[in-house]
Amino acid sequence: MPDIDLIIHTPARLRIMAALVSLEPRAKLDFRTLGSTLGLTDGNLGAHLLTLEEAGYIKVEKSFVVRKPRTNVSATAKGRARFEEHVAALKEICRV
Amino acid sequence: MNSESNTPVTRQEALSALGEIDRVRNHVRRTLAAGVMSAMLILWGVIWIVGFSAEQFVPHAYRVWLALDAVGITASLFLGVWSRKPTVDGPSSGRIGACWLVLFAYAALWSFLLVPSGALSGPGWADYAHVLEQKMALLWVTVCMFAYVVMGLWLDRVLLWLGILVTVASVAGFFFLQPYFFLWVAITGGGSLVVSGLLIRKTWGANHA
């Protein structure tokens, strides 16, 4: 039986992972867009992204575009796999 | 932090989490599609209204269509480039636009193939040409609405029902409103494109997930 992932199961991180996994595998989402889409403040989003990054579930890339800093976020292969496993675990619970 | 746990999650919590995942995924898809799609739909809706109205009232309306198509294609290319937001980097961006382009290319090919090349003159040609023009209009409307139905299954049920409704209305107009068919298509087809474009602009991407 697949396991519930405690890192992902937190409501904010669940929504962050759901948003990133809904993109194509190589696609990245801009930090601001991710925050505004999910209705999270910069500080709150940054803290959750750090947790997910430390777990290896997401990749955060910082760059400069026309001298302005930009942060792009994407789900890693490991993150996608763990998220799908988490979803499978949730479905399993619903079936019981 | 240990990422795996056997902590019991209730069925209600699991259902709620799954619902939240679906809601976020749907919202992200809509947000990414909203910008360029609404502009394209409004643009082509106006073009359809003008073009099909011209077919109803102006002789040799194909000249109007040529001009409108040139304007539409140029504006679409401009919108496609202009609306490339720096928010998503990767294959997601522009995929919906590419689908529409492919569909239009196929519809153009079918339009070309379906016109009988060996019967462009003769006593019955004028009458047949009028019916053929209506059939071509119906082909483009139904192809476009087919895309609506597919997008509706993927993004929003409103588009699905709109696609079905306009398809049925257009086919019904072809059989029962022959004298006013082009005007009917201008209103139902063009109008639906404009309305759905405005609807997408207003609702998708406006709220948080």
Side-chain angles (χ1 to χ4, degrees), chain A:
Chain A
M1 183 175 167
D3 289 309
I4 289 289
D5 189 311
L6 275 188
I7 294 175
I8 295 175
H9 193 59
T10 307
R13 293 199 283 270
L14 181 82
R15 297 167 76 212
I16 291 168
M17 286 305 292
L20 295 177
V21 167
S22 67
L23 303 176
E24 297 291 326
R26 294 188 308 279
K28 304 160 193 169
L29 199 57
D30 172 59
F31 180 91
R32 280 182 184 279
T33 307
L34 183 61
S36 63
T37 302
L38 300 176
L40 296 171
T41 62
D42 286 1
N44 199 0
L45 178 62
H48 287 300
L49 289 182
L50 186 64
T51 305
L52 290 168
E53 190 182 20
E54 282 172 355
Y57 292 179
I58 63 163
K59 192 174 170 187
V60 178
E61 293 167 273
K62 296 184 180 189
S63 60
F64 279 87
V65 178
V66 199
R67 283 183 281 180
K68 284 183 183 172
R70 197 162 99 198
T71 304
N72 282 326
V73 189
S74 59
T76 62
K78 180 186 174 187
R80 285 176 181 274
R82 291 298 293 137
F83 182 78
E84 294 309 325
E85 205 175 313
H86 182 74
V87 170
L90 292 172
K91 286 179 178 170
E92 194 66 39
I93 291 166
C94 292
R95 270 196 288 271
V96 174

Side-chain angles (χ1 to χ4, degrees), chain B residues 156-204:
Chain B
D156 195 319
R157 289 295 154 93
V158 173
L159 293 181
L160 182 137
W161 289 114
L162 195 68
I164 292 172
L165 196 70
V166 175
T167 301
V168 172
S170 304
V171 173
F174 179 76
F175 287 109
F176 302 114
L177 288 170
Q178 281 267 333
Y180 307 103
F181 176 69
F182 289 119
L183 192 59
W184 176 249
V185 171
I187 295 165
T188 56
S192 69
L193 289 179
V194 172
V195 169
S196 54
L198 292 171
L199 185 79
I200 285 170
R201 175 159 293 187
K202 192 177 176 194
T203 56
W204 293 8

Side-chain angles (χ1 to χ4, degrees), chain B residues 102-184:
Chain B
V102 169
L103 193 68
F104 280 172
Y106 270 91
L109 177 69
W110 293 328
S111 299
F112 174 74
L113 293 174
L114 287 172
V115 174
S117 56
L120 293 175
S121 60
W125 171 247
D127 289 340
Y128 180 66
H130 185 64
V131 176
L132 187 64
E133 279 177 0
Q134 294 190 338
K135 284 188 173 178
M136 283 299 143
L138 191 59
L139 170 77
W140 278 91
V141 172
T142 51
V143 162
C144 201
M145 289 307 128
F146 165 72
Y148 261 58
V149 171
V150 173
M151 281 197 307
L153 290 170
W154 183 245
L155 295 168
D156 195 319
R157 289 295 154 93
V158 173
L159 293 181
L160 182 137
W161 289 114
L162 195 68
I164 292 172
L165 196 70
V166 175
T167 301
V168 172
S170 304
V171 173
F174 179 76
F175 287 109
F176 302 114
L177 288 170
Q178 281 267 333
Y180 307 103
F181 176 69
F182 289 119
L183 192 59
W184 176 249

